[in-house]
Amino acid sequence: MPRNPPHAMNIASKTGLLLFTGNSHPDLARLVASRLGLELAPCSVRNDENAETKVDIDCSVRGQDVFIIQTGSKEVNTSIMELLIMMYACKTSCAESIVAVIPYLPYSKQSKMRKRGSIPAKLLASLLCKAGMTHLITMDLHAKEIQGFFDVPVDNLRASPFLLQYIQEQIPDYRNAVIVAKNPGSARRAQSLAERLRLGLAVIHGETKEAESDAIDGRHSPPPVVAQNTGLEWPSGRYWSADFGIGVPMLTAKEKPPINVVGDVGGRIAIIVDDIIDDVETFVACASMLKDRGAYKIYAMATHGLLSSDAPRLLEESTIDEIVVTNSVSHEVQKLQCHKIKTVDISVLISEAIRHFQHKHCQEEHQDEECEEDDHHDGRWLEVPQAVGRIARIRKITVNDEPLSDAEDDR
């Protein structure tokens, strides 16, 4: 990553705010910096020949409020290591506070226990806090409960106002549209958007394949009983009987209904909404069904457009007319492969969040300084008992090893 100009340090240090960025999305960082009237603080983030990440902070961060903009990217693990090392470098250099600005939080989709796996979102939260993060600014978390994984305050920004503005300004005849949730899990998000636009709501129900949570993983209780009243011998010589399963009801397997659209989309504009567009096969299947149900134009809209693998090609060949995502994740290469992708700029939201945080922090510091001055002046006169059993007298003391003035002595 190229180093920033040396005079950036002087411009940033005047406000007590330093803005750094890694290699995940430098364009977004430059937009945020320009809106704040700052320049990115000089630093170098690179990979050695052995693929190890190396970070050099080229300015003093002692006593400064440090903001590091680093979002999820295609090289997700590299982006995480860059962020961790940058935060740890600022922590060891005595930064006053370290705020991580992560518009798209990696591993946020893995926030629940699956089979005998783990919860990687909790692991990532622990790593970030351990590396020195004192505050997190993110956007549209996949699950709000992820905020509980962090031991520091979390600001979960919302991109919905920008998406609402795009619908109202860029979609002709949007009053004839209907908001579509591609599965019941995203119905709440779609309902919120539909209520703000005062539009109808449709939900696609049913699945074409078995969900991961429904797969047999050996934890079903009780286990299937093959034979009754039959003694089976373990290798150790102990015996067990299958009678223990008698009287305990067996679990009934779930049966997925055929995929269907709940709601009227005939002759209307269908807007499929979600928080992340990554695996686009579901979006493509939903769009085909909506087209069959009579929708004459179809939009896909989400906050984070990851668009991994061959997603651009699938979207280009699909019946979706337009894909709207924010620039929380870099997708310039994907836009070259699919002309249907449109980008909404959310840099103003991030810059305002940083500005408000810094302003609030400065106000708190100013109030603390005033309180310290008041305590300092009030402490110049102390009531000190001079002798046991006698009346306590007021003894005048000095301030900063200097005697009080004559006017203060007359007090």
Side-chain angles (χ1 to χ4, degrees):
M1 175 181 174
R3 297 175 183 265
N4 296 309
H7 63 279
M9 176 184 64
N10 299 329
I11 297 176
S13 61
K14 293 179 181 179
T15 60
L17 184 154
L18 291 173
L19 195 63
F20 293 94
T21 183
N23 296 324
S24 63
H25 201 347
D27 293 336
L28 177 62
R30 281 190 285 267
L31 285 173
V32 172
S34 64
R35 293 185 180 276
L36 290 171
L38 301 174
E39 295 186 16
L40 294 175
C43 69
S44 176
V45 183
R46 62 190 185 277
N47 292 330
D48 284 343
E49 295 180 356
N50 58 356
E52 289 185 358
T53 301
K54 182 170 289 187
V55 173
D56 293 327
I57 305 295
D58 299 332
C59 63
S60 175
V61 299
R62 181 179 295 273
Q64 302 281 352
D65 295 323
V66 174
F67 292 81
I68 303 177
I69 300 178
Q70 183 83 334
T71 188
S73 63
K74 184 178 180 181
E75 302 292 336
V76 58
N77 295 327
T78 302
S79 300
I80 292 174
M81 282 305 302
E82 289 180 1
L83 177 60
L84 291 174
I85 297 176
M86 291 178 72
M87 288 195 301
Y88 191 65
C90 295
K91 177 184 177 181
T92 55
S93 299
C94 302
E96 177 71 18
S97 63
I98 302 173
V99 182
V101 183
I102 314 176
Y104 169 66
L105 184 66
Y107 290 97
S108 59
K109 297 179 69 174
Q110 301 187 53
S111 60
K112 295 181 180 179
M113 178 71 74
R114 296 292 187 185
K115 297 185 179 180
R116 292 186 179 87
S118 60
I119 306 179
K122 170 60 178 175
L123 175 62
L124 178 60
S126 301
L127 290 173
L128 293 173
C129 295
K130 189 67 175 178
M133 182 180 68
T134 60
H135 199 98
L136 172 64
I137 298 177
T138 185
M139 180 177 296
D140 281 348
L141 287 173
H142 186 65
K144 295 180 181 178
E145 295 79 5
I146 297 177
Q147 300 179 61
F149 293 163
F150 294 88
D151 298 329
V152 299
V154 178
D155 287 336
N156 185 23
L157 307 179
R158 304 301 175 87
S160 55
F162 296 87
L163 300 179
L164 291 172
Q165 184 181 12
Y166 184 91
I167 293 175
Q168 295 171 339
E169 296 181 356
Q170 302 297 329
I171 299 181
D173 193 22
Y174 79 94
R175 290 294 181 186
N176 189 35
V178 58
I179 306 299
V180 180
K182 67 183 183 68
N183 53 51
S186 59
R188 180 176 297 181
R189 189 183 307 272
Q191 180 183 2
S192 176
L193 205 65
E195 290 175 351
R196 285 174 169 79
L197 291 170
R198 293 170 175 78
L199 300 177
L201 177 67
V203 181
I204 296 180
H205 179 58
E207 296 197 16
T208 57
K209 62 181 180 179
E210 185 180 23
E212 182 183 2
S213 59
D214 299 328
I216 298 176
D217 58 3
R219 292 184 296 173
H220 293 281
S221 178
V225 180
V226 180
Q228 301 290 339
N229 301 324
T230 302
L232 301 179
E233 184 176 359
W234 290 93
S236 60
R238 294 175 297 172
Y239 287 81
W240 66 283
S241 174
D243 290 339
F244 69 89
I246 299 176
V248 181
M250 298 292 295
L251 290 178
T252 304
K254 293 182 180 180
E255 194 170 330
K256 296 291 182 182
I259 189 169
N260 191 21
V261 179
V262 181
D264 183 21
V265 297
R268 308 178 74 176
I269 301 173
I271 305 176
I272 308 173
V273 298
D274 206 352
D275 60 329
I276 300 173
I277 294 182
D278 189 10
D279 184 10
V280 299
E281 294 181 357
T282 306
F283 285 90
V284 172
C286 292
S288 299
M289 175 166 292
L290 293 172
K291 204 74 171 180
D292 296 339
R293 295 295 192 277
Y296 71 90
K297 200 166 187 180
I298 300 173
Y299 290 81
M301 187 168 293
T303 303
H304 310 296
L306 303 183
L307 305 174
S308 305
S309 188
D310 59 344
R313 179 184 61 81
L314 295 176
L315 292 174
E316 184 71 21
E317 298 173 355
S318 68
T319 56
I320 301 176
D321 297 284
E322 195 167 291
I323 302 96
V324 183
V325 293
T326 70
N327 59 343
S328 62
V329 178
S330 178
H331 48 259
E332 296 303 321
V333 177
Q334 289 85 340
K335 290 179 70 173
L336 297 176
Q337 304 173 12
C338 178
H339 73 280
K340 299 179 181 180
I341 301 174
K342 307 298 179 183
T343 305
V344 177
D345 183 22
I346 45 86
S347 61
V348 61
L349 180 61
I350 297 175
S351 61
E352 286 303 307
I354 295 175
R355 193 194 310 274
H356 285 213
F357 177 88
Q358 181 69 5
H359 179 66
K360 180 69 174 178
H361 187 63
C362 292
Q363 281 186 333
E364 292 176 352
E365 287 184 349
H366 184 65
Q367 291 175 358
D368 293 342
E369 291 177 358
E370 289 182 348
C371 293
E372 289 178 0
E373 291 179 359
D374 293 340
D375 295 341
H376 179 64
H377 291 297
D378 293 340
R380 295 187 296 181
W381 294 83
L382 299 178
E383 293 185 2
V384 182
Q386 297 297 315
V388 179
R390 299 180 182 179
I391 299 176
R393 295 181 298 173
I394 297 177
R395 190 187 76 181
K396 292 188 284 286
I397 63 173
T398 60
V399 179
N400 297 329
D401 297 330
E402 296 179 3
L404 299 177
S405 63
D406 295 336
E408 290 172 330
D409 286 343
D410 295 337
R411 178 176 155 191

